């Protein structure tokens, strides 16, 4: 696995893991009298969220593989049985990128000489599909799930140690916003956007989600 | 917006919306004495989750656009100032898909004639980037957020009407598993995998997440 893929998984899992349990706990802080309920709800959410994201990621990966394999089979079938149509499609590709009639024909002839090379080309550039790594789905599921748990324990941990929700909330807000800022900074550096602005954005999403959760919980819970 | 993109947004939002609040409510059912806490926690989770996913989707879309624009600017710069290197990269593309030395050179010459055409080609096939629709980010955020709320209200609604958590859980499990099955069926038809098997898989993720949440909440709370 490329390290960029591992980082991508960590980012996916941790960004929701830091945000949603944080907001849930903040919301409950405004509506319940002791931290027991917050801890239980938070842990239940982390269990549910990590499984939904991890298993969801696993199945998405499996689906992607099935899809790739069935499309590849179809392409092999088509270069065999619908050769003329595939020739036309290949020429069309070269026409679209701006080659002359003459080169469209010549390039298509060269590519169509080798069946595997031709199918690989069609998969990648006609259909835009990359060959998925068969072991990727399992690893990805684990990475995302574990990152969600690690992320989720950050905002919840203050509630383990105090019994007044308001006190837990105060520490949780400070700790989590700092973590979201740091996390947002590194996440933005990975994607190549301005890192400071990215850090602020990620922190703001967390703050807005927590504020909204607090608001509706207060509204419904008193 | 293409209808396939709308459907994709709905699938993203609803799949987590049906699963996570369902599992959270199920988890709390094993640990608390009345449905008030479950309703408040569930609603706080739905608020938090829809904002995290919606706003998260919005910022991801914006980031994608920024990234595309900055890469495009860089490519225009490079075809201007590092022309030889770009020529080599373009030849390399044609070498990789299997064209002969002669055609590599000719095709590259034709593409490089027009600067816009050349940059478009490099963006799409060297970097694998599609031009993002500028309005897409906002629409996508709304679609995902609303789908999460709609999905989340399904498993929570039974708890609105009964006061015993165990009773709410029973109805919620039945209603939600049916919805997950139906939802999984249509989702799988969209992606072209076996629809019945897909329906079972989606339902199973929900069931496993709810079971795990119930288990850990019981462990810590009761």
């Amino acid at each position: 696995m490329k390290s960029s893929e591992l980082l991508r998984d960590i980012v996916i899992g941790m960004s929701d893991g830091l945000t949603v349990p944080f907001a849930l706990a903040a919301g409950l802080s405004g509506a319940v009298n002791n931290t027991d309920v917050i801890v239980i709800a938070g842990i239940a959410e982390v269990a549910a969220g990590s499984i939904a994201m991890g298993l969801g990621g696993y199945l998405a990966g499996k689906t992607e593989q099935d899809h790739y394999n069935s499309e590849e089979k179809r392409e092999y079938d088509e270069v065999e049985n619908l050769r003329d149509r595939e020739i036309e499609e290949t020429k069309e590709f070269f026409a679209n990128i701006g080659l002359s009639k003459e080169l469209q024909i010549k390039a298509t002839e060269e590519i169509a000489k080798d069946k595997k090379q031709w199918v690989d080309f069609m998969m990648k550039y006609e259909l835009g599909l990359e060959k998925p790594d068969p072991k990727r789905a399992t690893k990805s599921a684990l990475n995302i799930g574990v990152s969600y748990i690690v992320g989720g324990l950050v905002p919840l941990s203050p509630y383990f140690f105090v019994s007044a929700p308001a006190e837990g909330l105060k520490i949780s807000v400070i700790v989590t916003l700092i973590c979201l800022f740091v996390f947002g900074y590194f996440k933005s550096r990975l994607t190549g956007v301005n890192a400071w602005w990215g850090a602020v954005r990620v922190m703001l999403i967390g703050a807005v989600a927590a504020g909204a959760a607090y608001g509706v919980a207060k509204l419904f819970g008193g």
Side-chain angles (χ1 to χ4, degrees), chain A:
Chain A
M1 183 190 301
K2 283 173 252 165
S3 71
S4 69
E5 287 176 341
L6 172 63
L7 284 173
R8 207 190 57 120
D9 290 344
I10 293 176
V11 164
I12 291 174
M14 202 165 280
S15 85
D16 279 20
L18 278 168
T19 309
V20 181
F22 168 53
L24 173 66
L28 285 173
S29 296
V32 300
N33 299 321
N34 70 75
T35 49
D36 289 359
V37 174
I38 299 176
V39 168
I40 295 166
I43 287 176
E45 207 286 336
V46 168
S50 63
I51 288 172
M53 285 198 84
L55 216 52
Y58 173 76
L59 289 186
K62 281 282 170 217
T63 304
E64 199 187 324
Q65 260 170 54
D66 293 351
H67 184 61
Y68 187 91
N69 293 339
S70 79
E71 288 294 321
E72 193 178 39
K73 204 174 149 283
R74 205 162 59 107
E75 283 294 337
Y76 269 108
D77 229 62
E78 288 179 2
V79 301
E80 196 81 51
N81 302 315
L82 297 163
R83 196 179 161 85
D84 291 350
R85 206 186 75 186
E86 293 297 297
I87 293 268
E88 278 316 306
E89 285 176 8
T90 309
K91 273 191 216 157
E92 228 173 271
F93 170 85
F94 289 115
N96 284 338
I97 63 173
L99 297 192
S100 61
K101 267 259 168 325
E102 190 205 336
L103 280 197
Q104 288 167 33
I105 294 167
K106 279 190 183 162
T108 302
E109 267 170 16
E110 286 192 1
I111 284 203
K113 263 184 216 155
D114 181 306
K115 219 168 273 174
K116 182 179 178 313
Q117 163 182 296
W118 195 13
V119 169
D120 286 351
F121 167 79
M122 296 297 265
M123 290 300 288
K124 196 158 173 195
Y125 298 109
E126 190 204 357
L127 302 175
L129 296 173
E130 293 280 348
K131 198 176 185 71
D133 173 355
K135 287 188 193 139
R136 176 100 186 92
T138 318
K139 281 186 198 158
S140 189
L142 267 175
N143 296 336
I144 293 175
V146 170
S147 306
Y148 191 94
I149 294 172
V150 172
L153 289 178
V154 169
L156 293 183
S157 50
Y159 299 96
F160 296 159
F161 304 109
V162 300
S163 59
E167 204 182 332
L169 177 61
K170 238 182 281 174
I171 311 172
S172 179
V173 166
I174 295 168
V175 171
T176 310
L177 290 186
I178 292 172
C179 284
L180 281 169
F181 190 86
V182 173
F183 169 75
Y185 180 86
F186 286 105
K187 176 184 168 183
S188 306
R189 287 194 53 158
L190 282 181
T191 45
V193 286
N194 183 297
W196 294 107
W197 175 220
V200 172
R201 293 210 286 203
V202 167
M203 199 179 68
L204 274 182
I205 296 182
V208 171
Y214 188 90
V216 299
K218 201 84 183 158
L219 201 72
F220 283 83

